[in-house]
Each structure stands twice: as structure tokens, then as C-alpha cells.
């Protein structure tokens, strides 16, 4: 079977949850199938939309360069004819039996039409809310949860994107490496405030509705959806996806050994954060909560790259200021092969997410390592972490609740061993891949017979 995986990024360029999951799935599938990957890269000095080919072991990988420097409209953020055309060339070269879409961020919704035009079955795994929410996470102003029912709220939330045009965007690209983040943010706000389109609410609403119509249209072309959590599955059924087209299949995790870490200090409890350092992940709330802990018998290790993401350029500097002098250590970017070492260095993982998470891979990995988890009571997290059993839950943004959970463990570290006893090992990636393979076989048979 020839299988194409489509994803917004892929190791080694990015090692967040979706990328790591896709990589691990590919590694399992290549034992019996021909596996190809199509993903986006962002190289400012490389030709825009240039497609490169490489091989990693038996995985054949195509990457397309998209820096958005040619994007001059809101629609250009989710529909890109050049990317769709490049992908169509890859499809014709491979002639796959099935295409499995993991994420279309930074690519193009038009990819779906190219696949359908060739009558190739499409499987789509739901990792976030990109099909429903342009921000992908239903968060406004970085930390306010949005229910997604009011299109007028979208105008305020998406104002930078709705008013995008080539000239100001080019100036922004020139200045973003030269100016401090606060000044850059101020200049962006001036541009939005002075835009003549700002008062044309109906025009902006039409742009939002146009995207929504596009996403409903391409969703109707998907043959089968996979959701790693019941929570996300229910949310997309509310969006309009038929129940029978949306399968619940939990994540699988590759095996790794917990060893070779730095020895822990006796009687000291080490908390850890592992992942992408974005406001939606709540790293700042964890630091704020940890700052309020008076005990000296504890530390916080933060694993992840401090990178100024678009729209959050000042976030890394803010985290560093917040953490100064408080037994908080930034451990930097890491290779996924180092997971065993990282989990050996912490006693408890903290997942302080603000957005309605799907099924965070890092929680599955923590449970593989027998590490308890303190996490936000939100989204699919509640399907994994059970309060007082294998970890603790707190309400999102409730730094006092998070602090209380950490203080309880610091005061009674024996709780860690009790929580470990209740941790059930997550599903192996090989069993997960076998179930995904069954989905491919069924959908190929169905599409061919019809």
C-alpha cells in the first residue's frame, strides 16, 4: 500500500506533539507499506514554494517552503493554489492508495480537492480545531476561552489577519528582527486602528463566513475522520460531521526507557513542563503558580525552545523575566529520543493548558514513563488524568489551584508513589498503527467499490 501523510511540519524541523505522532506512525507503517510525507518548512532564504525531496530511512519525504511572504489576503492563509499545484505533482508522481491528513496548517485546504479529483481515499485525524477556528485553539487575546458561536467576536480576535495586505506585511517582515517585541506589537496595533477597512464590519464578516463555508465544503469530501479523544469527536459532530464518519481511536506511544538522567536531589520534588512554549499551553501560569511556593525543596524544569512565534514575539522574554531567581530552569529544545532522560529528571509533569486540548501526546508519554500528571481540567485531558488517581486536575487559569496541588505533593512526596500505582500504560504505537492500517484498508475498499 502507498500511503501519503500530510502534516504542517515534521521532524527534525519541528518536534511538537502532532509532528512526533506522525513520525512515530510512519515508522510503524514502513515495515509493510511505502510511506511518503508531505509537509511545510519555513526558510526565508529559500525559494518560495520550492519542493525538496529527502529520505529518512525508508520514509520518503517531500517538503514545500512557505514563508507566507506572497500572502496578501485572509483567504491566502488557508487556501493556496501554488501549494495545491505542487502537491498535485507529488500525488501524480506517487499515485497513492490513501492520503492521511494530520494537519493542514500553513498548507492549503485546496489539497483536499486535488486528492478527490484523483478519487483517492482521504483519512483526516483531528488534532485541534483548525477546521472550525482560524486560531486553531478557540482562544481570544491569548487566554480567553471562546465558545465559537459569535462571528462578531471573530472580527476582534482575527483583526490582524482579516486586514492583511502585502505592503504592511512586507514592512513587518523587515522590522520583526530589528525592533523589540513590544514596539513591534504597538506598530501592528496602529496599523489595525488606522485601516480604512476596519469600520466595514459586513466585509470582515463575509471573510469569516467565506472561510467557514470552505471548511464545511472540504469536510464533506473527507471519507473518514479520526479523533484521539471523545471530547474532540463530539465537538466536530456538533460542527456537522456525521457520527459514522468520525472514529474514536486513542493515540499510541512508542516505547522508550527512562534512564540516564541527572540524579535527583534527595527530598526535592522536581516538576516539569515539556512542549511548545506558547501562551495557549499555559507555561506562564505554571511559572506564576510556582513562584508562590515557599518551600525550597522543589524545582521546575521547562523543556522546550524559547522561540518568538508570530503574534507572540514577546512571550519568551516575558517567561524569562517571570522565572528569574525562582528555582526555575529552562532546559531548551530537545530531541524526542531524549524523552527517557527527560522523564528521569522530573517527578511530576505539569500540563497547564488554557485551550481545549485534544489528547496531549505528552500525557501519554508521561504515563509510559510512570510519571504522574497535574493538568488543566479542560477538553480531552479529563479522559486521561483522573483527579487523585493518576494525577491531579485544576481549573484552567486557576494558579492558586495549581499551586495547591504542587504544594500537596511537596509536603507529602509519598503521594507520587501512590499515583504511580494507578497509572495504566498507554497504548503501544504498533497496536495503534495496526488499527489505523485497518481504517485505510476499509476506506480503500469502500471508495473503490463505490
Amino acid at each position: 500500500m502507498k500511503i501519503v501523510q500530510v502534516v504542517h511540519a515534521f521532524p527534525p524541523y519541528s518536534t511538537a506533539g502532532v509532528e512526533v505522532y506522525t513520525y512515530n506512525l510512519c515508522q510503524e507503517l514502513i515495515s509493510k507499506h511505502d510511506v511518503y510525507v508531505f509537509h511545510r518548512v519555513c526558510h526565508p532564504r529559500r525559494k518560495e514554494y520550492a519542493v525538496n525531496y529527502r529520505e529518512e530511512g525508508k520514509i520518503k519525504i517531500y517538503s514545500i517552503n512557505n514563508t507566507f511572504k506572497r500572502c496578501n489576503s485572509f483567504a491566502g492563509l488557508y487556501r493556496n493554489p501554488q501549494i495545491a499545484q505542487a502537491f498535485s505533482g507529488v500525488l501524480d508522481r506517487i499515485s497513492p492508495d490513501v492520503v492521511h491528513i494530520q494537519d493542514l496548517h500553513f498548507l492549503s485546504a485546496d489539497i483536499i480537492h486535488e486528492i478527490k479529483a484523483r478519487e483517492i481515499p482521504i483519512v483526516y485525524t483531528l488534532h485541534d480545531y483548525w477546521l472550525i477556528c482560524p486560531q486553531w485553539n478557540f482562544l481570544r487575546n491569548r487566554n480567553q476561552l471562546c465558545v465559537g458561536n459569535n462571528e462578531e467576536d471573530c472580527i476582534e480576535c482575527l483583526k490582524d489577519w482579516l486586514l492583511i495586505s502585502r505592503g504592511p506585511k512586507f514592512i513587518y517582515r523587515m522590522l520583526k528582527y530589528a525592533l523589540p517585541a513590544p514596539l513591534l506589537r504597538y506598530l501592528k496595533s496602529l496599523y489595525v486602528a488606522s485601516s480604512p477597512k476596519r469600520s466595514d464590519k459586513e466585509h470582515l464578516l463575509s471573510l469569516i463566513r467565506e472561510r467557514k463555508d470552505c471548511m464545511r465544503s472540504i469536510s464533506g469530501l473527507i471519507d473518514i475522520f479520526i479523533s484521539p479523544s471523545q471530547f474532540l469527536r463530539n465537538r466536530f459532530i456538533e460542527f456537522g460531521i456525521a457520527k459514522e464518519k468520525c472514529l474514536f481511536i486513542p493515540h499510541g506511544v512508542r516505547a522508550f526507557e527512562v534512564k540516564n538522567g541527572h540524579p535527583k536531589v534527595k527530598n526535592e520534588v522536581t516538576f516539569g513542563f515539556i512542549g511548545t512554549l506558547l501562551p495557549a499551553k499555559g507555561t506562564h501560569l505554571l511559572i506564576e503558580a510556582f513562584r508562590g511556593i515557599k518551600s525550597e525543596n522543589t524545582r521546575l524544569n521547562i523543556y522546550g525552545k524559547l522561540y518568538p512565534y508570530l503574534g507572540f514575539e514577546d512571550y519568551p522574554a516575558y517567561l524569562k523575566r517571570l522565572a528569574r531567581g525562582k528555582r526555575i530552569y529552562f532546559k531548551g529544545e530537545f530531541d524526542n529520543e531524549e524523552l527517557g532522560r527527560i522523564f528521569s529528571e522530573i517527578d511530576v509533569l505539569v500540563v497547564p493548558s488554557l485551550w481545549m486540548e485534544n489528547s496531549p501526546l505528552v500525557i501519554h508519554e508521561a504515563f509510559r514513563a510512570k510519571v504522574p500528571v497535574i493538568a488543566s481540567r479542560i477538553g480531552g485531558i479529563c479522559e486521561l488524568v483522573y483527579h487523585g488517581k493518576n494525577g491531579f486536575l485544576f481549573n484552567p487559569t486557576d494558579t492558586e489551584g495549581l499551586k495547591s496541588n504542587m504544594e500537596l505533593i511537596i509536603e507529602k512526596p509519598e503521594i507520587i508513589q501512590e499515583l504511580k500505582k494507578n497509572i495504566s500504560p498507554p497504548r503501544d504505537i504498533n497496536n495503534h498503527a495496526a488499527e489505523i492500517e485497518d481504517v485505510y484498508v476499509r476506506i480503500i475498499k469502500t471508495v473503490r467499490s463505490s
Side-chain angles (χ1 to χ4, degrees), residues 271 273 275 277 283-284 286-288 299-307 315-334 345:
F271 297 96
F273 174 93
L277 299 176
T283 320
H284 57 291
L286 170 57
I287 294 174
E288 288 172 10
R299 64 160 51 204
L300 171 61
N301 290 344
I302 297 175
Y303 302 87
K305 185 178 180 181
L306 281 166
Y307 181 81
Y315 193 61
Y318 170 65
L319 291 182
K320 281 194 168 184
R321 289 196 306 271
L322 199 60
R324 197 172 295 153
K326 292 294 180 180
R327 299 175 64 83
I328 300 170
Y329 305 90
F330 291 95
K331 298 290 189 174
E333 194 175 13
F334 60 92
E345 296 175 357

Side-chain angles (χ1 to χ4, degrees), residues 31-180:
S31 62
K32 294 190 288 183
H33 307 284
D34 292 329
V35 179
Y36 302 81
V37 173
F38 183 85
H39 72 95
R40 175 252 191 176
V41 291
C42 181
H43 291 298
R45 292 181 177 84
R46 188 182 292 179
K47 184 180 178 182
E48 195 77 340
Y49 309 132
V51 176
N52 285 323
Y53 175 80
R54 72 184 192 276
E55 293 184 9
E56 184 168 329
K58 293 182 179 180
I59 305 176
K60 303 168 182 68
I61 305 169
Y62 293 88
S63 62
I64 186 166
N65 190 45
N66 180 22
T67 66
F68 287 96
K69 67 182 178 184
R70 295 186 188 174
C71 177
N72 60 2
S73 69
F74 177 61
L77 296 173
Y78 62 91
R79 298 191 70 178
N80 190 309
Q82 288 90 346
I83 292 177
Q85 184 179 5
F87 182 69
S88 70
V90 173
L91 284 179
D92 292 338
R93 198 170 301 130
I94 298 170
S95 295
D97 297 292
V98 64
V99 175
H100 188 165
I101 296 173
Q102 302 290 346
D103 203 316
L104 286 177
H105 273 92
F106 312 132
L107 291 169
S108 175
D110 292 329
I111 280 174
I112 303 292
H113 295 289
E114 296 297 333
I115 304 168
K116 268 299 171 188
R118 291 158 177 79
E119 299 182 345
I120 301 168
I122 308 174
V123 177
Y124 194 122
T125 292
L126 301 166
H127 292 286
D128 56 34
Y129 304 95
W130 185 79
L131 289 173
I132 311 175
C133 170
Q135 293 275 38
W136 66 265
N137 56 22
F138 278 120
L139 282 182
R140 290 188 289 124
N141 300 322
R142 298 189 178 190
N143 60 6
Q144 296 174 20
L145 202 58
C146 173
V147 294
N149 293 331
N150 190 337
E151 291 175 343
E152 293 191 11
D153 287 344
C154 294
I155 293 177
E156 184 64 25
C157 186
L158 303 172
K159 54 190 176 184
D160 292 354
W161 296 357
L162 293 169
L163 300 173
I164 194 169
S165 57
R166 184 170 294 176
K169 184 167 64 66
F170 175 77
I171 295 172
Y172 168 80
R173 288 168 59 86
M174 296 293 291
L175 295 178
K176 76 173 184 175
Y177 297 110
L179 297 179

Side-chain angles (χ1 to χ4, degrees), residues 214-284:
C214 172
M215 295 304 160
R216 288 190 187 279
S217 174
I218 66 167
S219 295
L221 299 176
I222 307 297
D223 294 292
I224 207 77
F225 288 91
I226 294 172
S227 175
S229 73
Q230 293 286 11
F231 179 88
L232 199 71
R233 179 177 182 268
N234 292 336
R235 190 67 192 254
F236 274 88
I237 289 171
E238 291 174 7
F239 177 62
I241 293 173
K243 288 183 180 180
E244 60 273 15
K245 280 183 61 173
C246 195
L247 307 178
F248 166 58
I249 301 179
H251 278 319
V253 182
R254 70 175 182 86
F256 57 85
E257 291 187 45
V258 181
K259 61 178 183 179
N260 299 330
H262 298 294
K264 300 188 187 79
V265 178
K266 189 176 181 181
N267 298 325
E268 182 181 78
V269 177
T270 301
F271 297 96
F273 174 93
I274 304 172
T276 309
L277 299 176
L278 282 173
K281 294 291 184 179
T283 320
H284 57 291

